[in-house]
Amino acid sequence: MRDRIAAFLVLLPSLVAVGIFVYGFIGQNLYVSLSDWGKNPAQALAEEPTLHFVGLANYQELFTGFVDVRFRQSVVNLIFFTLFFMAGSLGLGLLLAVALDQSPKGEGFFRTVFLFPMALSFVVTGTIWRWLLQPQGGVNVLPTLLGLPPLSFPWLTTREQVLVFDWNQLPFYTALVVGLVLLYVAYRAHREGERKRRFFALLSGGALLLWALTLGRGVHLLPYPEPHGFSLALVGVILAAMWQMSGYTMALYLAGLRGIPVEVLEAAKVDGANPWQTYRYVILPLLAPITLSAMIVLGHIALKIFDLIFAMAGLDYAPTDVPAIYMYLLAFRGNQFAKGATIGILLLLLVAVVVIPYLASQLRKEVRR
Amino acid sequence: MGRVILYAFLLLMAGFFLLPVYLVILTALKEPAKITLDTVWHWPDPVYWESFRIAWEAFRPKFQNSMVLAVSATLLSALVGALNGYVLAKWPFPGSNLLFALMLFGMFIPYQSILIPLFQFVKAIGLYGTLFGLILVHVIYGIPIITLIFKNYYSEIPDELVEAARIDGAGFFGVFRHVILPLSAPAFVVVAIWQFTQIWNEFLFAVTLTRPESQPITVALAQLAGGEAVKWNLPMAGAVLAALPTLLVYIFLGRYFLRGLLAGSVKG
């Protein structure tokens, strides 16, 4: 009995610490996000500022307020950054893994080379790529070494945007994309014979699509059109992030490829599949769970990306802004703590949407085992 | 034919990953006046080692801060995590699994969502701007992942070993000291490498909670490179200094590095 008490007492400080630093602070952050901290200049100087409850006003302002146009661009930037960074790292990582799986000479050397940026800080990576991507710097001059004309893309300093859309269309596009994803989930459930999942996915997906196509187009967050798009200055940031993280996906995929039983590949060969068909129909489907875990990890990194952009472009540069940067700028440079806290809560929700279903499915798998 | 394409691809990719490093070293070894855009890729003539001396002089206090921070926070969180993992794996009590799950949640949160209360708290207890405050923060937010790694590791140790030691009269700490700890070296290595790399490379907490005198090297580097009209030889030499410790860990302990990477990749 004494030992049981000792065991509990050993764990207790950690429980208390995590309780305060995770749950307590999230609660307090939520409270700050519902307050007016930062609206009144007197609060900035006060030791113990008096805060007033303002409900969801900060949330509303960020999405529809006149002054927070920069937040909205940062959200759009985050969406495009996450998509392209994930697709790029997964694609490049898979290619590298497949190449190394052919057992080339010097495999160990190549593996070390592809993976070493993982050991670096995003700040180091950002500093390096900031230099490489100077308008007439390393990358742009590189073709001249081969006798080609230099590139003239201004990388980080461009203000150009492509895929521009009106912010008012955001609810429509969100509902459209989520609805389509849910329909796909329903289709998968249908093929796997999971009736309950098929029903709910079909119902919610259908409802979302119906809403998007009927009422969704009429929703107006702002009284005026506000164009946002994929800021091309992010291309360089995505490149740097891929440089750092592709080795990681490569390591995951390589472990997966090496784990495929030889009998499976033999069977494919016996069935007359050529190497391409073997990859397409045998190996890739077997790697799907790895792709999912890698997507979760990369998505998690992308959603809270801060240090890389801080090092590459600084805090004050709107074209490469993301919510984490804007949050820091608002709270710690502008004393707008309530709005900063609001962005913090939004990021938490975003990450939760990505991570919780994944954890739940992992947990279910454990239980089944 | 296929082999030719394979090697061409691998070499091209090796270029993509290594050319940035080559340019970093090249730039660090150039006299500031000779860093001109049309000769970016030319080897420096003469080689200018001064950059490293100047960068080292400027960065040495920050380098020391990072070293103190990473080493002490790593040791502390490894100790706490080992004890936690031991309790959860070998002395579970009613509700301990639920508490563990609640603890794990702390691993996934984006730290932006607790940054403002954390900042207030650290300030309120008088640790803002001190290295000690930053160490404390890293130890606490390291608890979930480290506990997880140790719990998984200790679950593999047969309960019979613990039982046998208890029959011989060993208590809670006796079992840990004489049975568990001697078997823990591999877990400690993985955890130490993982934590050291993470904390050395960390930036968000560091930039929020430190003053210049307690800054780790990542913050100093970001500020140097972000300055206007910067001479690029210094940030590049600084980047080499900031990267060296974790790079050495990766090169010499790569196998363990990868294991930690795969174990803790979803950490916030």
Side-chain angles (χ1 to χ4, degrees):
Chain A
M1 191 61 210
R2 235 188 52 215
D3 289 338
R4 302 217 158 266
I5 294 173
F8 182 73
L9 286 181
V10 162
L11 193 62
L12 192 62
S14 297
L15 291 175
V16 172
V18 171
I20 294 174
F21 278 70
V22 175
Y23 294 93
F25 284 0
I26 288 175
Q28 199 185 344
N29 199 54
L30 185 66
Y31 167 70
V32 171
S33 79
L34 301 173
S35 79
D36 65 343
W37 194 3
K39 286 270 148 54
N40 186 344
Q43 288 168 329
L45 301 169
E47 271 295 304
E48 297 264 321
T50 31
L51 305 185
H52 304 279
F53 182 80
V54 296
L56 293 173
N58 291 310
Y59 294 82
Q60 197 187 352
E61 254 176 53
L62 283 176
F63 283 98
T64 61
F66 180 67
V67 289
D68 287 305
V69 52
R70 201 177 142 174
F71 170 74
R72 297 191 279 276
Q73 180 59 41
S74 81
V75 171
V76 174
N77 280 347
L78 184 67
I79 294 170
F80 283 115
F81 173 78
T82 306
L83 283 179
F84 289 126
F85 163 63
M86 273 190 351
S89 300
L90 286 173
L92 188 57
L94 183 61
L95 276 178
L96 293 173
V98 169
L100 287 185
D101 195 39
Q102 315 298 315
S103 312
K105 281 203 190 80
E107 187 201 322
F109 166 77
F110 284 116
R111 204 177 44 218
T112 310
V113 165
F114 299 155
L115 199 56
F116 87 88
M118 272 303 298
L120 305 182
S121 164
F122 266 125
V123 174
V124 170
T125 302
T127 308
I128 295 173
W129 282 88
R130 183 191 189 121
W131 167 228
L132 280 162
L133 296 177
Q134 291 296 300
Q136 289 147 36
V139 170
N140 278 352
V141 176
L142 200 53
T144 61
L145 295 183
L146 304 171
L148 302 167
L151 304 175
S152 60
F153 186 59
W155 297 103
L156 298 170
T157 48
T158 182
R159 290 190 176 263
E160 209 182 319
Q161 293 192 342
V162 294
L163 302 172
V164 177
F165 66 94
D166 180 3
W167 179 257
N168 290 305
Q169 300 287 312
L170 190 77
F172 167 70
Y173 284 121
T174 313
L176 194 68
V177 170
V178 175
L180 287 175
V181 168
L182 283 171
L183 283 192
Y184 178 71
V185 170
Y187 169 70
R188 289 288 299 269
H190 174 68
R191 287 192 42 179
E192 286 161 23
E194 300 229 16
R195 288 177 147 201
K196 212 168 93 186
R197 203 196 303 164
R198 182 183 65 185
F199 175 73
F200 282 112
L202 203 60
L203 190 74
S204 43
L208 265 176
L209 281 183
L210 197 69
W211 179 84
L213 295 173
T214 52
L215 299 171
R217 300 220 83 146
V219 172
H220 276 269
L221 294 171
L222 298 164
Y224 46 85
E226 187 180 276
H228 290 286
F230 173 44
S231 171
L232 285 184
L234 282 174
V235 173
V237 181
I238 293 167
L239 202 61
M242 279 172 60
W243 183 77
Q244 173 131 9
M245 292 306 299
S246 295
Y248 169 72
T249 39
M250 176 208 73
L252 285 182
Y253 277 130
L254 198 57
L257 287 169
R258 296 275 151 90
I260 294 175
V262 186
E263 297 84 44
V264 174
L265 302 179
E266 292 291 321
K269 212 183 245 172
V270 171
D271 289 345
N274 65 31
W276 165 250
Q277 285 168 329
T278 313
Y279 270 105
R280 174 67 190 78
Y281 296 105
V282 181
I283 296 178
L284 271 187
L286 284 173
L287 293 179
I290 295 179
T291 306
L292 183 67
S293 330
M295 275 174 74
I296 300 291
V297 173
L298 294 174
H300 195 255
I301 291 172
L303 291 180
K304 62 193 178 50
I305 192 83
F306 172 75
D307 24 15
L308 182 68
I309 293 176
F310 190 111
M312 285 186 86
L315 285 175
D316 298 309
Y317 189 54
T320 54
D321 205 3
V322 288
I325 291 270
Y326 192 54
M327 179 262 168
Y328 186 86
L329 190 69
L330 280 178
F332 297 103
R333 296 285 156 87
N335 279 318
Q336 298 230 42
F337 286 104
K339 247 181 209 168
T342 308
I343 298 179
I345 294 290
L346 291 171
L347 280 174
L348 180 66
L349 291 177
L350 214 54
V351 168
V353 166
V354 174
V355 169
I356 286 178
Y358 173 70
L359 286 183
S361 72
Q362 292 296 97
L363 210 65
R364 228 182 300 155
K365 242 185 253 164
E366 299 251 310
V367 173
R368 263 185 220 162
R369 239 188 262 150
Chain B
M1 182 58 201
R3 284 271 141 182
V4 174
I5 295 176
L6 175 67
Y7 283 108
F9 174 71
L10 285 173
L11 286 176
L12 186 75
M13 280 297 120
F16 172 64
F17 283 96
L18 286 179
L19 277 180
V21 180
Y22 177 67
L23 191 67
V24 167
I25 295 168
L26 206 66
T27 310
L29 292 177
K30 273 183 189 170
E31 267 177 73
K34 289 208 174 146
I35 304 176
T36 54
L37 294 168
D38 45 338
T39 59
V40 173
W41 290 96
H42 293 206
W43 185 252
D45 180 41
V47 173
Y48 180 76
W49 292 101
E50 272 301 275
S51 324
F52 280 101
R53 199 187 57 76
I54 299 169
W56 175 241
E57 221 135 86
F59 277 139
R60 193 172 54 193
K62 325 285 184 188
F63 191 91
Q64 281 167 350
N65 284 340
S66 279
M67 203 44 102
V68 172
L69 167 73
V71 170
S72 47
T74 300
L75 288 179
L76 277 172
S77 54
L79 191 70
V80 173
L83 283 167
N84 287 347
Y86 168 57
V87 171
L88 290 166
K90 296 298 171 214
W91 298 86
F93 50 86
S96 65
N97 268 334
L98 177 69
L99 287 174
F100 177 57
L102 287 173
M103 196 187 246
L104 279 189
F105 177 69
M107 209 166 106
F108 303 105
I109 59 167
Y111 293 138
Q112 278 81 15
S113 63
I114 47 89
L115 199 60
I116 292 169
L118 178 70
F119 169 74
Q120 288 175 271
F121 180 83
V122 172
K123 223 168 146 185
I125 59 172
L127 290 179
Y128 172 76
T130 66
L131 207 50
F132 186 72
L134 198 55
I135 292 172
L136 181 77
V137 167
H138 277 297
V139 170
I140 289 177
Y141 288 108
I143 287 175
I145 171 80
I146 308 301
T147 302
L148 171 71
I149 295 177
F150 274 109
K151 178 184 183 269
N152 285 346
Y153 183 78
Y154 289 152
S155 299
E156 306 283 313
I157 296 178
D159 287 340
E160 287 78 22
L161 281 181
V162 177
E163 285 307 316
R166 290 188 66 196
I167 290 165
D168 291 344
F172 174 82
F173 289 105
V175 173
F176 184 69
R177 169 78 189 76
H178 297 291
V179 179
I180 301 289
L181 213 49
L183 296 171
S184 301
F188 270 102
V189 172
V190 169
V191 161
I193 290 172
W194 168 258
Q195 273 297 75
F196 182 83
T197 317
Q198 287 297 303
I199 296 172
W200 184 278
N201 289 341
E202 202 274 341
F203 182 68
L204 180 66
F205 288 149
V207 76
T208 313
L209 300 175
T210 58
R211 291 206 188 92
E213 65 271 18
S214 56
Q215 267 172 4
I217 196 162
T218 45
V219 180
L221 179 63
Q223 283 177 356
L224 178 68
E228 291 300 315
V230 69
K231 291 288 175 217
W232 281 98
N233 60 323
L234 284 188
M236 291 303 115
V240 172
L241 294 179
L244 217 47
T246 50
L247 216 48
L248 289 176
V249 167
Y250 167 69
I251 290 169
F252 289 110
L253 301 165
R255 206 157 42 92
Y256 296 99
F257 179 83
L258 201 64
R259 216 179 291 169
L261 200 71
L262 300 181
S265 35
V266 201
K267 188 181 165 290

